[in-house]
Every structure is written in structure tokens, then in C-alpha cells.
Amino acid sequence: MSWMTLSLTLIFVFIPLLLSKTLNLGLERDTIVATLRSTVQLIAVGFVLKFVFDSEHAIFIILMVLLMIVAAVQNARHKGKAIKGITWKLFVTFVAIEVLTQTVLLGLHIVPPTAQYIISLSGMVIGNSMVLAILFLNRFTAEVEAHRDESELILSLGGTPKQSINRQLMKSIQASMIPTIESQKTIGLVQLPGMMSGQIIAGADPVQAVQFQLLVVFLLLATAAMTSVLLGFLSYRSLFTERMQLLKIDLN
Amino acid sequence: MNKRISNPSTPSCALELDCVSYSANHTDIIKKVSGQFPRGKITALIGPSGAGKTTLLKLCNGLISPVEGEIYIDGKRIEEQSPMSVRRHVGIVLQSSPMVQGTVKDNLALPLQLRGKTLSDEQAIATMDRVGLPSSLLTRDARELSGGQKQKVSIARTLLNQSKILLLDEITASLDPSSLREIEDLIVKLNETEKISIVWITHNLEQANRIGEYFWVMVDGELREVGTKEDIITSEDEDVKRFVRGGLS
């Protein structure tokens, strides 16, 4: 696809702009900003990736993955600002998931140890983990605040902080995992995943594209479970004082 | 005016507060409160809304900590004891009587379950009997109970921790007169037969009159008067006079 052809796709941007203007949705500015940001970010990433892929140097791969993790932490941490030390907790979660998944993928020779594979799969893992973390933090803090009387009851009877919010923790882990599980149930029926479609458009063998997509599906399932569980267990203690008292959570 | 009745280490005192203050969101809720709750007696904690009574009970149960001052349980500083043992020793029954999801038996079993133990059927029946509830309710959904039944389950649940001090936060506020008297009789019986020290917040001055052996009157976060009924009636404090006028006799 040439840059000229690509520019024709801006027609798809004019549609929401037109609708926003006509229906007074007030989304024109945001639409333009989103279009400009995605264009600049993706073009920049394209050149960076080209450089990293060409160099095949481990340090650039690590730096690229670290950049993804830092960006994901930056984006997700606002949702968990009520939790003390949320920045490093998110960082530890994303790093642990990345290390674990790459160890399995590379250790078992499931994918070759090249920048092309490592960075692409890391992007999917970290991106999914970030969305999961946001969903989990949103739900967890809201659940704890909504069931404060129940938690205080358990604490007042001599329960531990973990016992007092166990139900809310499990419910939030479950709730944050449901979208991933549900979307994967209909994969191939309702939607063709982006990566698979991209590979097919680029001329790859559809069966091989399916194989890679399955790898990603399984990877994302594991990511979903690990993100919520790890983040949940790292975070819940921060909602209590040293004297096992439940702190007030600012949901705004 | 903050009064002391004896030394904290004396056995006559179950709980003592020494110059305790608490504030939240830059508002002073408890202001330098010093006083004692006598052992084995029912203390009626009275005062107008917003006086800080519930906050005071939460401080005594360790659900919150004072920003200043000390609380002593049986002469020992609360901060030197583990929060879990404090909360088991000083039980609290909240006005809302929250129930966890499940049956009445699940709720009764909660204090034991938190310690990794189970509640036998015999124990459950005996506990229901102790608070005057029929054992047929054990399999009922706890959230479907009436207000009075919930309060009795709450009391029974707290008692399973073998608490020696019981803090009651307006537990009869929303009950009909007959349930109210049943709860009063139950608390008086527990106090008499099991020598449990009781601190009972009530808005109902007639009730305070019936059950209170000792009184604390709080106004605007301060302990304005303590003592026997006569001490309260003859108080010089204008706010106390206004509050108890016609209520205590």
C-alpha cells in the first residue's frame, strides 16, 4: 500500500467528524487528536521497529519491551491511584508476565528468538495485560468501597485483611477475566482477529495464520488470569493500615 | 470535662481512654476524651447525633486508631496487642447488623471460620438458644431475617469470639417495642450471668434509664459528663442539661 492510497482511508475519519458535527456530539476535537496521535505514534513506531528488526540487537529488543511496559504502567496507574505504590506494582506485574510468557515461548522454541516475534508478541501480551489491569483496578476498588460494611464486620470479628476482602478480590479477578474468555469463545465466528487478518492480507498461508492466532489466544488467556491474580495479591494489602484497618478509598 | 474513676490497672476498669483524639478529613471528631468503662457493668453512652459515639466504639474495637492519646484494655495499651486479639476481646455489634452472604448458620460460624475452625450443629443450636432464637432459623437466608432477628444473630456471632467486652452501636434503633425489650432483656442477662462488660450507645433516653448502671454523655466529640444517673441529672453542663431534660428520671 502506498502513502497516497493510505491517505484515502482518511475518508473513514471524516464520517465520525461529520456525524459529531451534525448530531452535536462535541467529539470533533477528540477525533482529530486521536487521528493525529495514532498516525504519528504508529509511523514513529514503524521506523523504530524497522531499526530494531534490522539491528537484531538484544539491548534494543529489551529497551523496546521496557518502553512498552512503562507506557502501559503510565496508562493504567491512574485507575489505581487509591492503591499505594500502584506504579511499581503494575511494573512488577507486567514484567513478571512478560518474563514468564517469553520464557515459555522461547524456552520451548515455540517461536524463533528474533526481534520480529519477541516485540510483536510482547506488544500483545503487555497491551492485553494493561487493559486487564485497568478493568481489575476499576472493579476492585469499587467493590471494596461498596462492601465496606461487610469488610469491617469481618475485621471487627478478628479477621485478617485478606479474609475481609477475599470475596471482593475474587469477584474482581473473575469480572476482569470474563471479557477475554467471552471474546475468545466467539473468535473466528463473530470476529476475525486483527493479527490473523493482517497476516492473511499480507499473503500468509491462512492455516499458518490460524496457528499463530491460536498461540495468541492461549497467550492472552494466560495473561488475563495472571494479571488480575498477581495485581490483586500485590495490591490488596495497600488498602489497609499496619493495624489492619481498612483505608477510605477515593474513587474519583 | 473528662473524668477518671480509677487507675487503669485496677480490675474495676474494662476499658480506659487517656486523652484520645480522632480526626478525619481535617475535622476533629473525638476531642481529648479521657474516661473509663467499668468492668462488668452496662454503660449507657448517650449524646446527640454527631457527638462521635460510633467513632469512639470503633476506636475501642481497633477498627480505627486515635491520632492522639492511648486506649487501655484491661490495663494494657491497645497498640501493644495484636489487632485481631483486640477485636476478639472487645466485640462490636453495629447498628446496620451486616450479614455475610449465606444462611444464619454461615453467619454464626464466621468468627470460628476466620480462625480456621468449624461450628458444630450442637454449638449452633446452643448459640441460637443463648440469644433466644429458634434453631429452625439456622438454615434460613440471613439477609431475609427481621431487624430484631438480625440483631440477635449479630450479638450471638460476636459472642462466639468469647468477647469479654461488648460494644453495642444503637442496636435497637429501628426495632419495634417488643423486639427492643427482648434485646434489652438479652443484654441484661448476658451482663448478669456472664459478667460481660457492656458499652451501649443509645439515643433512647428511656432505654438508657432502664439498662444503664453507668453513664457517659458525649457532646460535639467531647466527654461532657460521666457517672451514675444522679451525676448526669445534676450535671452543671448546659448541653448535658438540655440533652437529658425529661429523658432521665
Side-chain angles (χ1 to χ4, degrees):
Chain A
M1 189 191 291
S2 69
W3 290 105
M4 190 57 203
T5 323
L6 179 67
S7 63
L8 290 176
T9 57
L10 285 174
I11 291 167
F12 295 122
V13 178
F14 289 125
I15 295 172
L17 280 177
L18 199 69
L19 283 172
S20 177
K21 188 86 185 150
T22 318
L23 301 172
N24 281 328
L25 300 178
L27 293 173
E28 298 96 296
R29 196 173 171 273
D30 279 342
T31 310
I32 292 169
V33 169
T35 308
L36 286 175
R37 272 191 65 166
S38 55
T39 309
V40 172
Q41 282 165 202
L42 280 176
I43 290 173
V45 163
F47 283 109
V48 172
L49 286 177
K50 189 169 164 39
F51 169 74
V52 175
F53 290 175
D54 288 347
S55 76
E56 277 295 349
H57 205 294
I59 196 82
F60 291 127
I61 301 175
I62 293 169
L63 278 176
M64 191 69 205
V65 172
L66 264 178
L67 184 74
M68 288 173 178
I69 291 176
V70 170
V73 169
Q74 187 63 24
N75 203 15
R77 73 191 184 102
H78 299 291
K79 289 293 168 194
K81 62 183 180 198
I83 295 166
K84 210 173 147 195
I86 190 62
T87 306
W88 76 260
K89 281 166 186 157
L90 282 164
F91 187 79
V92 168
T93 304
F94 296 154
V95 168
I97 289 166
E98 170 67 7
V99 169
L100 199 92
T101 50
Q102 291 299 338
T103 305
V104 174
L105 290 173
L106 300 177
L108 297 176
H109 302 291
I110 296 169
V111 295
T114 60
Q116 190 185 345
Y117 283 94
I118 297 173
I119 292 174
S120 309
L121 290 170
S122 296
M124 284 186 236
V125 166
I126 297 165
N128 191 57
S129 198
M130 178 191 76
V131 173
L132 259 294
I134 292 173
L135 281 175
F136 171 78
L137 290 170
N138 242 348
R139 181 70 183 246
F140 184 48
T141 46
E143 281 282 333
V144 171
E145 204 43 43
H147 297 97
R148 199 178 177 82
D149 57 345
E150 193 180 313
S151 300
E152 286 201 332
L153 165 74
I154 293 172
L155 288 173
S156 78
L157 290 168
T160 61
K162 168 75 173 37
Q163 287 170 325
S164 76
I165 52 160
N166 191 53
R167 201 165 71 86
Q168 293 86 311
L169 184 61
M170 294 308 143
K171 215 167 153 184
S172 312
I173 290 175
Q174 202 182 30
S176 59
M177 285 175 64
I178 286 172
T180 307
I181 296 171
E182 287 304 316
S183 75
Q184 297 197 349
K185 277 186 192 166
T186 55
I187 208 160
L189 297 173
V190 179
Q191 84 272 38
L192 281 181
M195 193 198 81
M196 196 174 100
S197 310
Q199 277 191 304
I200 293 170
I201 291 167
D205 172 18
V207 176
Q208 196 168 32
V210 165
Q211 280 180 338
F212 266 102
Q213 188 58 51
L214 277 174
L215 180 152
V216 171
V217 166
F218 301 150
L219 201 58
L220 296 191
L221 261 180
T223 311
M226 286 191 293
T227 304
S228 317
V229 172
L230 209 55
L231 196 54
F233 282 92
L234 281 175
S235 305
Y236 83 86
R237 198 63 185 83
S238 313
L239 299 175
F240 296 85
T241 67
E242 278 182 17
R243 297 285 301 165
M244 299 183 179
Q245 295 152 345
L246 183 58
L247 293 164
K248 186 94 188 126
I249 299 172
D250 181 10
L251 294 175
N252 299 315
Chain B
M1 185 194 343
N2 294 319
K3 293 186 176 181
R4 302 178 76 154
I5 53 172
S6 62
N7 187 290
S9 57
T10 57
S12 62
C13 164
L15 265 169
E16 183 189 16
L17 287 85
D18 183 15
C19 215
V20 168
S21 298
Y22 180 80
S23 53
N25 300 325
H26 311 293
T27 308
D28 294 332
I29 299 169
I30 302 288
K31 301 168 189 167
K32 294 187 183 302
V33 168
S34 294
Q36 300 179 333
F37 293 112
R39 182 187 302 280
K41 289 192 174 176
I42 298 179
T43 302
L45 175 49
I46 54 178
S49 297
K53 304 184 295 295
T54 300
T55 304
L56 193 91
L57 290 201
K58 287 187 173 182
L59 284 164
C60 293
N61 175 259
L63 276 177
I64 49 176
S65 289
V67 290
E68 201 187 335
E70 298 288 351
I71 297 171
Y72 298 89
I73 300 168
D74 292 332
K76 278 192 281 182
R77 278 179 66 221
I78 203 169
E79 298 288 319
E80 286 168 6
Q81 305 170 50
S82 88
M84 290 190 286
S85 71
V86 166
R87 289 166 190 165
R88 284 174 190 149
H89 187 78
V90 185
I92 189 168
V93 181
L94 301 164
Q95 184 181 6
S96 56
S97 57
M99 294 285 132
V100 294
Q101 216 169 23
T103 64
V104 170
K105 192 182 173 199
D106 294 334
N107 272 272
L108 283 184
L110 190 59
L112 299 181
Q113 194 194 327
L114 295 173
R115 281 182 275 165
K117 296 179 180 171
T118 50
L119 180 76
S120 69
D121 287 342
E122 294 74 34
Q123 269 179 300
I125 294 167
T127 308
M128 292 292 272
D129 189 48
R130 197 175 171 195
V131 294
L133 285 175
S135 55
S136 57
L137 288 181
L138 280 169
T139 51
R140 280 266 296 275
D141 184 335
R143 296 183 186 191
E144 287 174 4
L145 296 179
S146 70
Q149 288 170 329
K150 273 187 192 169
Q151 284 300 3
K152 285 183 176 178
V153 171
S154 292
I155 295 166
R157 189 171 55 188
T158 308
L159 290 173
L160 274 163
N161 264 339
Q162 271 135 17
S163 304
K164 296 290 172 227
I165 304 165
L166 204 50
L167 311 172
L168 309 173
D169 185 8
E170 292 201 54
I171 57 169
T172 55
S174 55
L175 302 187
D176 60 79
S178 98
S179 304
L180 180 143
R181 291 310 284 260
E182 276 184 48
I183 300 266
E184 281 181 12
D185 291 345
L186 168 67
I187 297 298
V188 170
K189 195 175 100 188
L190 284 171
N191 170 251
E192 284 173 0
T193 57
E194 304 186 31
K195 304 293 172 217
I196 296 173
S197 310
I198 313 271
V199 180
W200 192 335
I201 293 182
T202 177
H203 259 112
N204 181 338
L205 288 177
E206 284 175 25
Q207 183 177 55
N209 211 13
R210 282 194 299 273
I211 49 102
E213 298 167 83
Y214 196 72
F215 294 81
W216 274 43
V217 187
M218 287 185 70
V219 179
D220 192 24
E222 294 171 357
L223 177 59
R224 295 289 183 86
E225 195 61 78
V226 293
T228 60
K229 200 190 302 173
E230 286 65 38
D231 293 329
I232 307 301
I233 293 167
T234 56
S235 174
E236 300 282 300
D237 188 293
E238 285 303 319
D239 288 326
V240 175
K241 277 191 204 171
R242 202 173 307 124
F243 181 70
V244 301
R245 195 172 293 147
L248 293 178
S249 55

